Amino acid sequence: MEVNSAIILHHIAEAKKGKQSAFNFLLDTYWNEVYGFQIKRTKDEVEAEDITIQTFSKAFHKIDLFDEQYKFSTWLITISKNIHYDFLRKKKASIASNTTTDSENYLHHIADETPTIEDKIITEQNLAKLLKDIKKLKPHYQQVIQLRYFQEMSYKEIAQEINEPINNVKVKLLRARKLLAEIIATNN
């Protein structure tokens, strides 16, 4: 999506002031570009999505370092490339990761259709439709929504629970809410 550079610069300036709506705009505007770049490199949806989340997390954390004379998309792609290189280095260095990655990927593709006790309680409270929509999300998005909204954990507690930086948690929740809103809109 091609957006006027003045609008982009305005949102970057707002993001530097900490405005959440500016971060949302930048995420929405550049998500597909960064994700598409990574999907071509990794050939793996989960890996590409994780790297994209880390890219935005790092970019938003270091937004003050962005130099406006360059294109924001180029800056994001550079960050994304570096995260991917780090990922490859770590993957190569760890023999164990080669054996567990395949089984982890397999587990990510298994859908859990079994209703839990929580599901039954929520159904009794007329929230069954919402839960079904949440289950359409990928497991790591389901997890952060469950921890944030059903277990009412703070960002810090979620970060500790899933062993990821707080910025990654914020980006994952932002993305999960956006995808859930799209699912709900599609079903109505």
Side-chain angles (χ1 to χ4, degrees):
M1 163 186 357
E2 194 60 38
V3 179
N4 180 332
S5 63
I7 293 171
I8 297 296
L9 291 175
H10 168 74
H11 281 91
I12 290 169
E14 292 294 300
K16 287 182 177 183
K17 295 177 191 172
K19 302 275 178 155
Q20 187 62 43
S21 60
F23 289 118
N24 291 349
F25 174 83
L26 294 170
L27 181 74
D28 289 345
T29 303
Y30 291 104
W31 176 271
N32 289 340
E33 186 174 347
V34 176
Y35 178 75
F37 173 77
Q38 280 303 330
I39 201 79
K40 286 177 189 169
R41 291 173 69 96
T42 63
K43 310 273 190 270
D44 180 291
E45 287 181 18
V46 174
E47 209 171 281
E49 195 164 56
D50 283 347
I51 293 170
T52 303
I53 288 169
Q54 290 177 37
T55 299
F56 281 98
S57 173
K58 192 170 200 170
F60 291 167
H61 183 67
K62 305 274 187 185
I63 192 88
D64 289 333
L65 300 177
F66 175 69
D67 184 347
E68 285 81 7
Q69 69 180 351
Y70 300 105
K71 284 181 70 177
F72 192 68
S73 60
T74 305
W75 189 62
L76 285 172
I77 294 297
T78 302
I79 292 171
S80 187
K81 231 186 264 186
N82 291 336
I83 290 171
H84 185 238
Y85 289 143
D86 290 344
F87 175 79
L88 290 175
R89 270 194 292 272
K90 288 176 189 172
K91 191 173 179 179
K92 205 174 201 178
S94 172
I95 296 170
S97 72
N98 291 335
T99 57
T100 58
T101 302
D102 290 339
S103 52
E104 284 177 17
N105 286 341
Y106 174 73
L107 292 175
H108 281 289
H109 296 291
I110 297 174
D112 182 15
E113 303 285 332
T114 343
T116 64
I117 293 170
E118 291 86 359
D119 291 359
K120 291 175 185 173
I121 292 170
I122 290 170
T123 302
E124 291 170 10
Q125 297 173 352
N126 295 325
L127 293 176
K129 182 172 177 352
L130 176 61
L131 190 59
K132 283 182 186 176
D133 290 341
I134 290 171
K135 283 193 170 199
K136 292 177 184 174
L137 296 171
K138 292 184 178 177
H140 57 280
Y141 288 143
Q142 289 180 35
Q143 181 185 27
V144 293
I145 285 182
Q146 173 71 23
L147 294 173
R148 179 70 175 159
Y149 299 108
F150 293 98
Q151 295 184 24
E152 298 179 354
M153 288 185 167
S154 68
Y155 291 131
K156 184 178 181 182
E157 291 169 328
I158 296 169
Q160 290 170 344
E161 177 77 20
I162 65 174
N163 197 25
E164 287 194 27
I166 289 179
N167 285 336
N168 284 17
V169 170
K170 289 179 181 178
V171 173
K172 273 188 181 179
L173 272 166
L174 183 66
R175 184 73 177 144
R177 286 194 307 257
K178 181 177 186 249
L179 292 171
L180 185 58
E182 289 172 5
I183 290 169
I184 290 169
T186 302
N187 292 338
N188 286 337

